[in-house]
Amino acid sequence: AVAPLGQVSELAEQLEERLFHLYGFHNELIQERLQALVEVLERVEAARAELRHVCCTVEAAYRDLCL
């Protein structure tokens, strides 16, 4: 039995609506995760800068002790 054209059209519309809803949901999730990643990368960069500063301080102290 072949479904009437109206039924097919209605099913297609429902499917499109569900896909649109899913896309919106996943898009929101991806945005949240990207924001979290940006925050983590900022913290990593801050830690690297701090570590460079510590290394320079230790290097300067070592030079002062040796000279």
Side-chain angles (χ1 to χ4, degrees), residues 3-67:
L5 195 58
Q7 253 185 322
V8 171
S9 180
E10 195 179 318
L11 280 171
E13 209 171 294
Q14 285 176 7
L15 181 62
E16 188 181 358
E17 210 171 293
R18 281 186 194 162
L19 286 172
F20 189 74
H21 177 74
L22 267 173
Y23 173 78
F25 174 74
H26 284 293
N27 196 36
E28 213 171 288
L29 224 87
I30 288 167
Q31 292 284 24
E32 284 174 18
R33 288 184 180 160
L34 282 174
Q35 184 56 43
L37 180 62
V38 165
E39 289 167 15
V40 166
L41 289 173
E42 284 171 356
R43 286 201 302 270
V44 166
E45 190 48 47
R48 282 179 61 193
E50 200 174 327
L51 191 56
R52 274 196 302 268
H53 179 70
V54 168
C55 286
C56 289
T57 304
V58 169
E59 192 181 357
Y62 186 74
R63 265 200 316 268
D64 291 346
L65 285 172
C66 290
L67 298 176

